[in-house]
Amino acid sequence: MPRYLSRVPRVDPTIRIGGNVTIDRRTFTRSLTAGALGGLFRPWNTPAWAQAAQARVPAPVARAAAGLPKALVTKVRVLVPKIGSNRTSVTASFNQSNMVILVDTDAGITGVGEGGSPDLVQSLAPSVIGRNAFDTELIWQHMYMDPFYSPGREKIHALGGIDMALWDIKAKALNVPLYMLCGGRVREHVSLYSTGGLPAGVQSGPTLKERAAATMAAGYYAYRVDGSIVPNPGFDGVVNQGRVGGPGAAGAGGGGRGGGGGRGNQDGQIFDSRARILAIAKAAEQIREGIGPDGNWTIDVHQKFDFHEALEICRLIEPFRPFLVEDPVREEEFRTQIPKLRMLTTVPLAPGEEWGQRSEFQTLVENRDIDYARATLPNVGGVTEMLKIMAMCDAHRVGIVPHFTGAISTAAHIHFLASFSGQVLMEYNYGTTMPPYLTEFLDFHDGKCWPNDRPGLGVTLDLNQLTPIAEYSTAAPANTYRRRDGSPSHW
């Protein structure tokens, strides 16, 4: 052997794998070859292959998951208030339903939700029964995808009520208020405005200026009016039973829903949109006088006007700086007309009280064509979907202003609004009055709602004030497919 080769260190013919495990180089080479060939010809759809493809759960995560109660859903119950039920209302299956949904679990924890109608809950319950209440995303996807058709807005409302109850279960099991599961609190209180303009229980003189000033003095953030608003003195242009304004005519200087130009009974009435434009501008001037330079006011145009009329209104009220203009054009035209309106006026725009999921808000939010999304529980599909809307709005600095809703959903609003870092404002009409079927509601004082530390949604029911009307305890086979990693996929 040449002398220079004799100085080369001898190579150990084994390869150390780890610990005391070693393998001969020839064996190692053969295993690599076999592994490559085996990977080439291995069937992709075998259970062993699918199991091997799943990511291993880290030990700390596994331990944390093991510490949570399983809380398998055993029953979904539907109840309605004995006093104040709106089950027969035209909005009973949408944004003001106060039907109570209870989700029972084998852990002895019952979640409280609200929304929808009995037939809609009945169609969704089989996708929930037998599942772990902590798997809110998985259950949401199954409720959404198990039926043949994707749910419409009414069904999404019921889905959102069930989802709300599942989040209530999770927070109760962890003994924390719901906002802790949404990221924790970022604000001390939630600012409010009343649908009727002058909040319930607040005393005021008859003029717009006086009502607006009294609302600010009561601690509310904004004074709200409707597109039927009238300046003082005057009528609102509504014709009722052959009379224009005057006593008995809807909104003739009254409070109504719009706070000085209310809705009354709209059936058979005439709304002269052209005559309303200058009246709104005059009313805006009087409201600004009442709230002063630092106060805020909002107007819900309520889809009453066509695009050219809405644009004229927005431009006329610009000098009086509304906090927002709600639903300025028809809902079905939001995606095409609001971007145009955004380019032609400086007033903040806030559409969406009739919308549901984030896909409906997505384009307008991402293009920053709106300033506030009127995303509301349970309309959007519950807390699970609301968290995604919050993330989308936060990314584009769009605020959230929920529409008024049922009492339990209103309590849920406090939790997600308390944890959203962008601008928020909530439409609120309960004042200090608690619905009779609740013994714990939310904390309201000084014109504001304050987060509390009670577990879950923080509401407690008086079941004696509720009438059970249905319950569901049977699961059904899902039409939903699963991917190799176990996640659900539309069938």
Side-chain angles (χ1 to χ4, degrees), residues 27-83:
T27 304
F28 180 67
T29 303
R30 287 196 299 271
S31 68
L32 286 178
T33 304
L37 293 175
L40 182 63
F41 297 107
R42 180 180 296 170
W44 289 89
N45 59 350
T46 62
W49 181 259
Q51 183 177 0
Q54 293 183 13
R56 294 185 179 181
V57 177
V61 175
R63 287 195 297 271
L68 296 174
K70 295 303 179 186
L72 299 181
V73 176
T74 58
K75 186 183 298 181
V76 177
R77 292 182 281 159
V78 174
L79 308 91
V80 295
K82 292 181 179 179
I83 300 174

Side-chain angles (χ1 to χ4, degrees), residues 10-16 22-29:
R10 181 186 176 96
V11 178
D12 190 340
T14 61
I15 299 173
R16 184 168 298 278
T22 58
I23 184 171
D24 180 84
R25 283 189 300 168
R26 290 189 179 89
T27 304
F28 180 67
T29 303

Side-chain angles (χ1 to χ4, degrees), residues 196 206 208 211 223 229-230 232 234 236 249-263:
L208 276 177
R211 291 197 294 273
Y223 177 73
I229 192 66
V230 295
N232 297 308
D236 66 356
R257 183 179 184 272
R263 288 167 52 183

Side-chain angles (χ1 to χ4, degrees), residues 67-260:
L68 296 174
K70 295 303 179 186
L72 299 181
V73 176
T74 58
K75 186 183 298 181
V76 177
R77 292 182 281 159
V78 174
L79 308 91
V80 295
K82 292 181 179 179
I83 300 174
S85 171
N86 62 3
R87 186 180 174 192
T88 59
S89 166
V90 294
T91 59
S93 63
F94 194 42
N95 68 340
Q96 290 121 43
S97 171
N98 61 2
M99 189 184 78
V100 177
I101 301 173
L102 299 182
V103 176
D104 297 327
T105 67
D106 63 357
I109 304 172
T110 295
V112 180
E114 177 184 63
S117 59
D119 58 322
L120 297 174
V121 173
Q122 180 182 16
S123 67
L124 295 166
S127 299
V128 183
I129 302 299
R131 299 191 183 276
N132 186 351
F134 276 77
D135 295 332
T136 46
E137 178 67 29
L138 178 64
I139 294 175
W140 196 99
Q141 295 294 339
H142 273 285
M143 286 193 290
Y144 192 89
M145 293 191 293
D146 282 354
F148 180 80
Y149 291 106
S150 298
R153 291 177 187 170
E154 288 81 3
K155 197 170 186 178
I156 281 290
H157 198 268
L159 186 158
I162 295 174
D163 181 82
M164 191 188 306
L166 296 175
W167 280 90
D168 187 42
I169 291 169
K170 292 206 292 186
K172 286 176 177 175
L174 298 172
N175 198 34
V176 296
L178 177 59
Y179 62 73
M180 294 299 293
L181 303 186
C182 300
R185 283 170 49 178
V186 299
R187 53 177 39 88
E188 296 177 353
H189 64 262
V190 175
S191 298
L192 308 174
Y193 69 96
S194 172
T195 304
L198 186 70
V202 176
Q203 301 299 316
S204 167
T207 67
L208 276 177
K209 180 178 178 179
E210 290 171 309
R211 291 197 294 273
T215 301
M216 297 294 100
Y220 283 76
Y221 189 81
Y223 177 73
R224 182 257 192 204
V225 295
D226 187 88
S228 297
I229 192 66
V230 295
N232 297 308
F235 306 124
D236 66 356
V238 175
V239 177
N240 188 9
Q241 297 179 346
R243 291 177 292 175
V244 181
R257 183 179 184 272

Side-chain angles (χ1 to χ4, degrees), residues 191 193 298 323-324 326 349-353 371-376 393 398-404 413 416-417 420 423-427:
S191 298
Y193 69 96
T298 75
F323 183 81
L324 60 82
E326 182 185 348
L349 303 176
E353 74 174 49
D371 302 282
Y372 301 97
R374 301 228 62 200
T376 306
C393 288
V398 171
I400 300 179
V401 180
H403 191 270
F404 72 86
H413 279 174
F416 88 81
L417 293 175
F420 179 67
Q423 294 191 47
V424 303
L425 184 63
M426 188 174 80
E427 188 173 3

